[in-house]
Amino acid sequence: KQEVTQIPAALSVPEGENLVLNCSFTDSAIYNLQWFRQDPGKGLTSLLLIQSSQREQTSGRLNASLDKSSGRSTLYIAASQPGDSATYLCAVTGTASKLTFGTGTRLQVTL
Amino acid sequence: DTAVSQTPKYLVTQMGNDKSIKCEQNLGHDTMYWYKQDSKKFLKIMFSYNNKELIINETVPNRFSPKSPDKAHLNLHINSLELGDSAVYFCASSQQLSTGELFFGEGSRLTVL
């Protein structure tokens, strides 16, 4: 059974800092990995999708890497802003096309 | 235009009642999903449909019955509501079943009293 863990569970940083969020998964037989953000009371917004054959994806200040063999992914956020405050979730699509979500990292970027 | 829309956004009802949540996507995607987010914010898949065909049914009680009249719609009907059904239910869609990027609706918060 696939298990997805995110560390840290919560993070508070001052504006302007670069930061890294971690995601690990137990079964490396995945089709892809996605990073989402969820704002309070809102749905999930897809940030980056990495297919199993890819090593990383970039979008603006965000960079996500994937090391399938070790079951790890990182989301790097450069020059953080207060608007980046949200919960960040990673999710992997594995066998039977099931998407398994991590527990999330709650990020607070302070002024 | 909202890509994945679900209604209602909020639903408060008594135990034992039957209720439905509707979902529509205008992205032309083949696959649609229902997810449940519990009080601890953990998201878990309930169902997925591909081209109106049920693909995943993740040990959900029989009281939950999804219906997909066409590729653009996936509705969720819940019979005999229980307190433990209180959660936020998210609809999502993707172009393909395994490799597609997921797009989520805003969620439907169900409260059972």
Side-chain angles (χ1 to χ4, degrees):
Chain A
K1 180 188 170 187
Q2 179 74 272
E3 291 182 7
V4 182
T5 305
Q6 292 184 244
I7 295 172
L11 182 62
S12 181
V13 300
E15 183 180 15
E17 273 205 8
N18 303 325
L19 58 103
V20 175
L21 307 181
N22 297 292
C23 172
S24 62
F25 46 95
T26 54
D27 185 351
S28 62
I30 63 168
Y31 288 104
N32 59 45
L33 182 144
Q34 276 189 251
W35 282 94
F36 297 88
R37 75 174 271 169
Q38 185 176 26
D39 294 284
K42 298 287 187 183
L44 280 72
T45 301
S46 178
L47 298 172
L48 290 163
L49 168 69
I50 312 177
Q51 302 292 354
S52 62
S53 59
Q54 297 173 322
R55 300 281 296 184
E56 67 176 338
Q57 283 285 343
T58 298
S59 175
R61 294 182 294 109
L62 305 179
N63 176 277
S65 68
L66 173 63
D67 184 343
K68 207 173 78 158
S69 59
S70 67
R72 292 181 184 174
S73 175
T74 61
L75 178 66
Y76 176 81
I77 303 177
S80 58
Q81 303 170 357
D84 294 331
S85 299
T87 296
Y88 289 81
L89 295 152
C90 72
V92 296
T93 303
T95 54
S97 303
K98 282 171 50 177
L99 192 70
T100 303
F101 278 87
T103 45
T105 293
R106 196 170 63 253
L107 173 65
Q108 179 78 33
V109 180
T110 57
L111 290 168
Chain B
D1 267 351
T2 304
V4 182
S5 59
Q6 31 180 134
T7 56
K9 190 167 183 178
Y10 299 97
L11 190 53
V12 180
T13 188
Q14 300 284 336
M15 265 175 42
N17 284 349
D18 304 339
K19 291 294 178 186
S20 292
I21 308 172
K22 296 186 177 182
C23 179
E24 175 182 5
Q25 54 96 2
N26 62 7
L27 298 167
H29 287 169
D30 288 340
T31 311
M32 295 185 73
Y33 312 79
W34 277 108
Y35 284 85
K36 179 180 180 180
Q37 189 171 44
D38 60 25
S39 57
K40 295 182 179 177
K41 306 296 184 188
F42 188 66
L43 265 160
K44 191 171 180 185
I45 190 165
M46 300 174 68
F47 302 101
S48 75
Y49 270 72
N50 191 53
N51 280 318
K52 303 195 304 176
E53 182 184 346
L54 178 65
I55 301 299
I56 295 173
N57 181 345
E58 199 46 29
T59 58
V60 176
N62 291 337
R63 298 182 295 103
F64 290 79
S65 52
K67 280 189 173 53
S68 182
D70 55 58
K71 275 195 337 179
H73 296 84
L74 180 62
N75 303 322
L76 183 65
H77 188 76
I78 315 170
N79 289 326
S80 304
L81 279 157
E82 301 176 358
L83 293 176
D85 297 332
S86 296
V88 182
Y89 293 85
F90 286 99
C91 176
S93 73
S94 65
Q95 179 61 57
Q96 294 142 335
L97 185 58
S98 302
T99 57
E101 183 179 5
L102 253 70
F103 293 83
F104 278 78
E106 293 272 296
S108 297
R109 181 177 292 278
L110 171 65
T111 303
V112 182
L113 303 174

